[in-house]
Amino acid sequence: MAISQETVEQVASVSEKYKYGFVSDIEADTAPIGLNEDIVRFISAKKEEPEWLLEWRLKAYRHWLTMEEPEWAKVEFPKIDFQDIYYYSAPVQKEKPKSLDEVDPELLEVYKKLGIPLKEQEVLAGVEGAHNVAVDAVFDSVSVATTFRERLEKEGVIFCPISEAVQNHPELVQKYIGSVVPHTDNYYAALNSAVFTDGSFCYIPKGVRCPMELSTYFRINAAQTGQFERTLIIADDESYVSYLEGCTAPMRDENQLHAAVVELVIHKDAEIKYSTVQNWYPGDENGVGGIYNFVTKRAACRGENSKVSWTQVETGSAITWKYPSCILQGDNSVGEFYSIAITNNLQQADTGTKMIHLGKNTSSTIISKGISAGRAQNTYRGLVRMGRKADNARNHTVCDSLLIGDKCGAHTVPYIENQSRTAKIEHEATTSKVSEEQLFYCQQRGLSEEESMALIVNGFCKEVLQKLPMEFAVEAQKLVGISLEGSVG
Amino acid sequence: MKQLTPLAQDYIGRFDTALQSLPGHDNPGITALRKSGLETFSKLDFPNHRIEEWRFTNLNALTKGITDDVLAEPIARSEAFDAHIIFTLVNGQIDLGNSVLDNLPEGMRLTSLATELAKGRTELLETEAAENRSVVALNTAFMEDGFVLELDENVKVDAPILIRFVSNGGSPTNARHLRNIVHLGAGAEATLVEEHVSNGGHAYFSNPMTKISLEEGAKLHHYRLQNESKTAFHLSMVDCDIKDGAFYDNFTLSLGARLSRNEISADILGSGATCALNGAYLMRDKQHCDTTTLTRHLVPENDSRQIYKGVLDGESRGIFQGKIHIAEDAQQVAGDQLSKALLLSDRATVACKPELEIYADDVKCSHGATSGELDEDALFYMQSRGIQEDEARKILITAFLTDVIDEIETEAVRTYFAKIATDWLEGV
Amino acid sequence: MLEIKDLHAEVGGKEILKGLNLTINAGEIHAIMGPNGAGKSTLSYVLAGRDGYEVTKGSVLYKGQDLLDFSPDERANMGIFLAFQYPVEIPGVASATFFKTAYNAQRKYRGEQEVDAMEFLKLIREKTNELGIKDDMLKRPVNVGFSGGEKKRNEVLQMALLEPDLMLLDETDSGLDIDALKIAADGVNRLRSPERAGLVITHYQRLLDYIVPDFVHVLADGRIVKSGDKSLALELEEKGYTEMSAA
C-alpha cells in the first residue's frame, strides 16, 4: 500500500522531459570500427582471456556469420550495418583502481548527473555500511568499481565483473556460460557471444541467502559503441538472490545497438529474483535516435523446487526486443514473469516471455501490462509450452493492453502449446483504452489531465509494480508518469 | 531455387491438359484467371511451417502425393435432418438425382458454378486483390465446380438450405477443388448447412473455397459439418464480406479427415455489423485439425465474437489460430474470442495462438484460451453419486460442448450437430 | 457565488439545456428536481466541465469569474465538488492514495504546503470517524467492487475531505437505503455554512427531508419552470412532474 500512496508525489516531482540527456567525454580506448575475427581476438586479448574462451567466441562469430537477422517481431527499423559499429571501447585507466579515490572523477560525475540518487551513489562514494545494496557499476563496457565485495565474500558470494570471474573463477564460468543461452541461440545472442566486453557474474553458494540486493547500472556512453553485456548468475542449491538491473543512457541522434545476454541457472530449492527498470533513451518525439534493445534473457530452473521471477519495467529504448524466459526443468519448479512495457511517440516494443514446462508439477505465472501512446507500437509475444512429461503443470497468463490516443497500436501474440493431458493452461487478454470517465473523475477532484493519466496507468500496472523491490518500485512509478508525458491533451 | 513439392509439380505438370476440361475453358477471362492462380501457386508451392500462418500444420503427408491405397473402415454416417432444399455434389460433380431444387422460393437461385460459367457469368469470379494464399491460388487454378447461392434483396428463406459434398474416392486425381459463391442482397436472410462427407474410407484431397458477400442488413447462418473420410485431407477456406448492419455466423463441426484445416477470413466492412465464428472439433487417433480465423474490423462500430472448443483423444492434435485485427480509425469495436481444448489422452496435443492486432484506441477486445483435462473434482463428485466413470466423463464432455453448440440458432441444425457429437462420444 | 444566465448546452449535437437561469448565493442550498431526461445531470456535468457537454449560449459566473474558461481540474481546485451519480471505478489505485493526491493537488493550487502520508492518514481517519465510514475502504481501489451505497458514501467522504465551496450532488440519493441516505445528508449538513453553497439534484423529495433546501426548482425540458421554497418539493411529490411542468 505504501508504494501506491507515494505514487503521485513522485510523478509530480519529476517534471523534466528526459533528464538523463548528456554526454560525458571520457577518452575511449577503442578497437577499430567493424567486426571480423581479428576484432574478436582483440577483445579476447584485451581481456587476457584463456584460450577456451577465445575459441568459444570464434565459434560464436563463425556461426553468427551464417545467421540472418530475425524478422518476425512487429518492429521496423533501418537495417543495421554491423561493420559500422565499434565493438570495444573502455575508459582509460592506468590500472584497476584499488579504491574509489582512484576512479576517474568524471565517472563519478556521470553518476551524479544520472541522479543515481538512491543509495547507490553513497555506496559509490564510499559510504560503506549505510545501505545494503551492492553495486557493480558497468560503465561503457568495463567495470570500474565494485563495492561491498568483502561483505559478500564473507558469505561466499561471488559478485564481480564477468571479465574478472574469467580470471578468478574460470571453472565456474566455463561450466555455465552458454549453458542456458547457447552461442547458436539467436542472431543477437551469437553476436554477443562473439564480442561481449563485460557484464556481471554472480555465484551464490549452497544454502546462502544473499545478504543484500545486488544491483548493476548499465550505461551506454561512447558514440557508436554497441553494448554487448553478458550476465551470468548461478544460484546453487537452497540459495537466494535478488538482482536489480537499471539503465539510463545519454541523448543521441544516432541509433545505438544493445544486445545483451543474461543467463540464470537455478539449482535445487534455490531462487533468483531478477528485476529490471529499463529507461534508455527512447528517441525524440519524431523517432530520431534512441536505443535498439535486443536482449536475450533466459533462466534455467534446473533443480527441483527451483524458482525464478523476472520483473521488468520497460519504458525506454526506441526498440525493445526482449523475451525473458524460463525453462522449468526441475520438478515443482516455478517461473514468473511480470512486465510493464510503455511505449510513447514512435517507440516500438515487442516483448514477452517463454515458459517452457518440462518437469512435473511445474507452474508459471505471466502478468503483462502493455501501454501504448502516441504513434507507438506495443506487442506482447509469449510462448507457453507444456512438454509431454510436464504432468500437472500449470500456467496462468493475464495480458492487458491499454491504448492512449488513436494513432498507436497494441498487439497480443501468444503461442500456447500443450502436450500434457494433465497440464492446465489459462490465458486471458484484454485491450481497452483509458476511459474518459476515469479521467474526468480524477480531474473533478483537482488532478491535472497528466496527473490523472499517470495515476490511472499506475493503477493499471499495480500488480506488476508491487513485485518490484522498494528501491525500484519508487523509480518505476516515476517512470510510468514521465514516459507518458505528452500523450494526453 | 528450392524444389517444389511433388504434388505441386504434379499440379503444375497437368495444368494445361486439365484446363481443357475445366468449366469456363472457352472463356479467355476465366482461363487468364486460372493461369494467374497457377502462377501464384507455382511461386508459393504448398505452405510449409516457415510460413507463420502454417507453423502448426505440416502438409508433408499431402504434398508428397496422395495415393488412394488406404482403405479405412467406412464411416457410419448419421442421417441428415429433413431439408427441403438440397444441393448434392458427388466427387465435385452435381448430382441432380440426389438434389431437391424444385420449388425454390422466388428471388432465390441455387445452381452450380459450372452451369453459371457456361452461361457466361464470369462476373461471379471477379475477385479482388492479388491472392497470397497458395491454397486459394491452387483452388482458383483448378476449381471444377461448386454451388452458387444468390438471394435477391429482402428475400428471406426460413428453411435450411442443405449442401452436400460427397466424396467416394476413385476419381483419377483424388482431388476436389470446389468454388462456392454466396451472395445475399440487402435485407436477405438464409440458413446454409454444408456437409462434407464420404461414403467410404478413401484418401482424397478436398479443397472447398467459399466466397460470401452479405449486403446491407443481410443475415446468414452458415453451419458446416466436416466429416470427411478418416484418410482424407480437407483444406477449406471461407472468405466473407459483411456490410452495414449485416450478420454472419459460422459454426463448423469438425470430426473427419486425417488432416483438416478450417480457415475463415471475415472482413467487417460496415457499421452495425456482427460476425460470430464458432465451432467444435472432435478428434481421435492421429487426426490433425486446424482452425484458423482472421476477423478484420475495417470500419467503426461493429462487433465480432468467437468460441471454439476442441476435444482431443488418441494421438490427435488440435490447432486454433484466431486473429482479430482492428484497423486504424475502426473505433467503437468489440471483439471477443475464446478457445478451449480438452485433452482426453496422454498423447493428444493442442496448440493455440489467439492474436489481437489493434490500431484503434476506442475498442474493447479480449481473448481467452484454456487447455487441460477434464475436471477431476467434478468427475469424482459424480462418481461419488454413483455415476460410472465412463458415463461421468461423457456427461462432462457433453457439458463442455453444449455451450458452444448452443450458439447454433437454428434448432434443427443444433439438434443434428449435438447428435453427431453424442455419437462421436460413444467412441471415447 | 454562482450565477447561471440563459444557459444552453448540447450533448452529441442534441440540445439539452435550453436557457437555464439560476443564482445561488453563499450560504444557500438549492434543490433541483425534475423528471428523467430534463437535463439535471447535464447541468452538473456542464458546471464541472465534462468534455462533450458543449455550452452553445449563455454564461456561468462563479465567484465573479467566467467558470466556462476553466478546465475540470481548475474548477475542482476553485472549490467546486461534484458528487457523481455513478462514481467511477479506478482499478489498482488505492482510495487513500487517490484522496491524498486530490487533497494535495488542491493545497498546491492554493499555494499551501502539501501534507505527508502520516499527516494525511490522521486527517482522513478523523473524517471517516465523523461520518461513520469504515477505514478498510481506504485500502480498497477507488470504487472497485463497492456497492452502490459504498460508492455514494465514498463521494461524501471525499467531499468532507476536500471541503468545497460549492457542492454539487447529482442524484446522491439514488440507490441508497435510509441509513446510507442519512450518512450522505449528514456529510452535506456538516459542511453547511454561511460561506458555502450547495446544489442538490434529485428525482425524489426523500433526500430533502434530510438536507433541507432553502430553494427548490423544477427543471423540465432544459429550463427551470418553477421555483419556490421547500414546500414546493412536497407539492411535487404529491402532484407529480407532469402537472407541475405544465403549470
Side-chain angles (χ1 to χ4, degrees), chain B residues 240-272:
Chain B
C240 186
D241 285 352
I242 306 163
K243 293 195 182 153
D244 282 354
F247 173 95
Y248 177 68
D249 89 323
N250 178 306
F251 186 102
T252 303
L253 176 62
S254 303
L255 2 72
R258 159 186 185 174
L259 182 153
S260 64
R261 175 157 158 128
N262 165 26
E263 190 176 319
I264 302 171
S265 169
D267 280 0
I268 305 179
L269 305 167
S271 65

Coordinates of all heavy atoms in Angstrom, one line a residue, chain B residues 240-272:
Chain B
C240 N -15.5 -14.0 -46.2 CA -16.8 -13.4 -46.1 C -16.7 -11.9 -46.0 O -15.9 -11.4 -45.1 CB -17.6 -14.0 -44.9 SG -19.2 -13.4 -44.7
D241 N -17.5 -11.2 -46.8 CA -17.5 -9.7 -46.7 C -18.9 -9.3 -46.0 O -19.9 -9.8 -46.4 CB -17.5 -9.0 -48.0 CG -16.1 -9.1 -48.6 OD1 -15.2 -9.5 -47.9 OD2 -16.0 -8.7 -49.8
I242 N -18.8 -8.5 -45.0 CA -20.0 -8.2 -44.2 C -20.2 -6.7 -44.2 O -19.4 -6.0 -43.7 CB -19.9 -8.7 -42.7 CG1 -19.5 -10.2 -42.8 CG2 -21.2 -8.5 -42.0 CD1 -19.0 -10.7 -41.5
K243 N -21.3 -6.3 -44.8 CA -21.6 -4.8 -44.9 C -22.4 -4.3 -43.8 O -22.8 -5.0 -42.8 CB -22.2 -4.5 -46.3 CG -21.2 -4.8 -47.4 CD -21.6 -4.2 -48.7 CE -20.6 -4.6 -49.8 NZ -21.3 -4.6 -51.1
D244 N -22.8 -3.0 -43.9 CA -23.5 -2.3 -42.8 C -24.7 -3.2 -42.3 O -25.6 -3.6 -43.0 CB -24.2 -1.0 -43.3 CG -23.1 0.1 -43.4 OD1 -22.0 -0.1 -42.9 OD2 -23.5 1.2 -43.9
G245 N -24.7 -3.3 -41.0 CA -25.9 -4.0 -40.4 C -26.1 -5.5 -40.7 O -27.1 -6.1 -40.3
A246 N -25.1 -6.0 -41.5 CA -25.3 -7.4 -41.8 C -24.8 -8.3 -40.7 O -24.1 -7.9 -39.8 CB -24.5 -7.7 -43.1
F247 N -25.3 -9.6 -40.7 CA -25.0 -10.5 -39.7 C -24.5 -11.8 -40.3 O -25.1 -12.4 -41.2 CB -26.2 -10.8 -38.9 CG -26.1 -11.9 -37.9 CD1 -25.8 -11.6 -36.5 CD2 -26.3 -13.2 -38.2 CE1 -25.7 -12.6 -35.6 CE2 -26.2 -14.2 -37.3 CZ -25.9 -13.9 -36.0
Y248 N -23.3 -12.3 -39.8 CA -22.8 -13.6 -40.3 C -22.5 -14.4 -39.1 O -21.8 -14.0 -38.2 CB -21.6 -13.3 -41.2 CG -20.9 -14.7 -41.7 CD1 -21.6 -15.5 -42.6 CD2 -19.7 -15.1 -41.2 CE1 -21.1 -16.7 -43.0 CE2 -19.1 -16.3 -41.6 CZ -19.8 -17.1 -42.5 OH -19.3 -18.3 -42.9
D249 N -23.0 -15.6 -39.1 CA -22.4 -16.5 -38.1 C -22.1 -17.9 -38.7 O -22.8 -18.4 -39.6 CB -23.3 -16.6 -36.8 CG -24.4 -17.7 -36.9 OD1 -24.9 -17.8 -38.0 OD2 -24.7 -18.3 -35.9
N250 N -21.0 -18.4 -38.3 CA -20.5 -19.6 -38.8 C -20.2 -20.6 -37.7 O -19.7 -20.2 -36.7 CB -19.1 -19.3 -39.5 CG -18.5 -20.5 -40.1 OD1 -18.2 -21.5 -39.4 ND2 -18.1 -20.4 -41.4
F251 N -20.7 -21.8 -37.9 CA -20.4 -22.8 -36.9 C -19.9 -24.0 -37.7 O -20.5 -24.5 -38.6 CB -21.6 -23.2 -36.1 CG -21.3 -24.2 -35.0 CD1 -21.2 -23.8 -33.7 CD2 -21.0 -25.5 -35.3 CE1 -20.9 -24.6 -32.7 CE2 -20.7 -26.4 -34.3 CZ -20.6 -26.0 -32.9
T252 N -18.7 -24.4 -37.3 CA -18.1 -25.6 -38.0 C -17.9 -26.7 -37.0 O -17.2 -26.5 -36.0 CB -16.8 -25.2 -38.7 OG1 -17.1 -24.1 -39.6 CG2 -16.2 -26.3 -39.5
L253 N -18.4 -27.8 -37.3 CA -18.2 -29.0 -36.5 C -17.3 -29.9 -37.3 O -17.6 -30.4 -38.4 CB -19.5 -29.7 -36.2 CG -19.4 -31.0 -35.4 CD1 -18.8 -30.8 -34.1 CD2 -20.8 -31.7 -35.3
S254 N -16.1 -30.2 -36.8 CA -15.1 -31.0 -37.5 C -14.9 -32.3 -36.8 O -14.6 -32.3 -35.6 CB -13.8 -30.2 -37.5 OG -13.9 -29.0 -38.2
L255 N -15.1 -33.4 -37.5 CA -14.7 -34.7 -36.9 C -14.0 -35.6 -37.8 O -13.4 -36.6 -37.4 CB -15.9 -35.4 -36.2 CG -17.3 -35.0 -36.2 CD1 -17.9 -35.2 -37.5 CD2 -18.0 -35.8 -35.2
G256 N -14.0 -35.3 -39.1 CA -13.4 -36.2 -40.1 C -12.0 -35.8 -40.5 O -11.4 -34.9 -39.9
A257 N -11.5 -36.4 -41.5 CA -10.3 -36.2 -42.2 C -9.1 -36.6 -41.3 O -9.1 -36.5 -40.1 CB -10.1 -34.7 -42.6
R258 N -8.0 -37.0 -42.0 CA -6.8 -37.2 -41.3 C -6.1 -35.9 -41.0 O -5.5 -35.8 -39.9 CB -5.9 -38.0 -42.4 CG -4.5 -38.0 -42.1 CD -3.8 -38.7 -43.3 NE -2.4 -38.8 -43.1 CZ -1.6 -39.5 -43.9 NH1 -2.1 -40.1 -45.0 NH2 -0.3 -39.5 -43.7
L259 N -6.2 -35.0 -41.9 CA -5.7 -33.7 -41.7 C -6.7 -32.7 -42.2 O -7.1 -32.8 -43.4 CB -4.3 -33.5 -42.4 CG -3.6 -32.1 -42.2 CD1 -2.1 -32.3 -42.3 CD2 -4.1 -31.0 -43.1
S260 N -7.1 -31.7 -41.4 CA -8.1 -30.8 -41.9 C -7.7 -29.4 -41.4 O -7.0 -29.2 -40.4 CB -9.5 -31.1 -41.4 OG -9.5 -31.0 -40.0
R261 N -8.1 -28.4 -42.2 CA -7.9 -27.0 -41.9 C -9.1 -26.3 -42.3 O -9.6 -26.3 -43.4 CB -6.7 -26.5 -42.6 CG -6.5 -24.9 -42.3 CD -5.1 -24.6 -42.5 NE -4.9 -23.2 -42.8 CZ -4.0 -22.4 -42.1 NH1 -3.3 -22.9 -41.1 NH2 -3.8 -21.2 -42.4
N262 N -9.7 -25.6 -41.3 CA -10.9 -24.8 -41.5 C -10.4 -23.3 -41.3 O -10.2 -22.9 -40.3 CB -11.8 -25.2 -40.4 CG -13.0 -24.2 -40.2 OD1 -13.4 -23.5 -41.1 ND2 -13.5 -24.2 -39.0
E263 N -10.3 -22.7 -42.5 CA -9.8 -21.3 -42.5 C -10.9 -20.3 -42.8 O -11.6 -20.5 -43.9 CB -8.7 -21.3 -43.5 CG -7.8 -20.0 -43.5 CD -6.7 -20.1 -44.5 OE1 -6.1 -21.2 -44.6 OE2 -6.4 -19.1 -45.1
I264 N -11.1 -19.4 -42.0 CA -12.2 -18.4 -42.2 C -11.6 -17.0 -42.1 O -10.8 -16.7 -41.2 CB -13.3 -18.5 -41.1 CG1 -13.9 -20.0 -41.1 CG2 -14.4 -17.5 -41.4 CD1 -14.8 -20.2 -40.0
S265 N -11.9 -16.2 -43.1 CA -11.5 -14.9 -43.1 C -12.7 -13.9 -43.3 O -13.3 -14.0 -44.3 CB -10.5 -14.7 -44.3 OG -10.2 -13.4 -44.5
A266 N -13.0 -13.2 -42.3 CA -14.2 -12.3 -42.4 C -13.7 -10.8 -42.3 O -13.0 -10.4 -41.5 CB -15.1 -12.6 -41.2
D267 N -14.2 -10.1 -43.3 CA -14.0 -8.7 -43.4 C -15.2 -7.9 -43.0 O -16.2 -8.0 -43.7 CB -13.5 -8.2 -44.8 CG -12.1 -8.5 -45.0 OD1 -11.4 -9.1 -44.1 OD2 -11.6 -8.3 -46.2
I268 N -15.2 -7.2 -41.9 CA -16.3 -6.4 -41.5 C -16.2 -5.0 -42.1 O -15.3 -4.3 -41.7 CB -16.4 -6.4 -40.0 CG1 -16.4 -7.8 -39.4 CG2 -17.7 -5.7 -39.5 CD1 -16.5 -7.9 -37.9
L269 N -17.1 -4.8 -43.0 CA -17.0 -3.6 -43.8 C -18.0 -2.5 -43.5 O -18.1 -1.5 -44.2 CB -17.1 -3.9 -45.3 CG -16.1 -5.0 -45.8 CD1 -16.5 -5.5 -47.2 CD2 -14.7 -4.4 -45.9
G270 N -18.9 -2.8 -42.5 CA -19.9 -1.9 -42.3 C -20.2 -1.7 -40.8 O -19.8 -2.6 -39.9
S271 N -20.8 -0.6 -40.4 CA -21.1 -0.4 -39.0 C -22.4 -1.1 -38.7 O -23.2 -1.5 -39.6 CB -21.3 1.1 -38.8 OG -22.4 1.6 -39.5
G272 N -22.5 -1.5 -37.4 CA -23.7 -2.2 -37.0 C -23.6 -3.7 -37.5 O -24.6 -4.4 -37.3

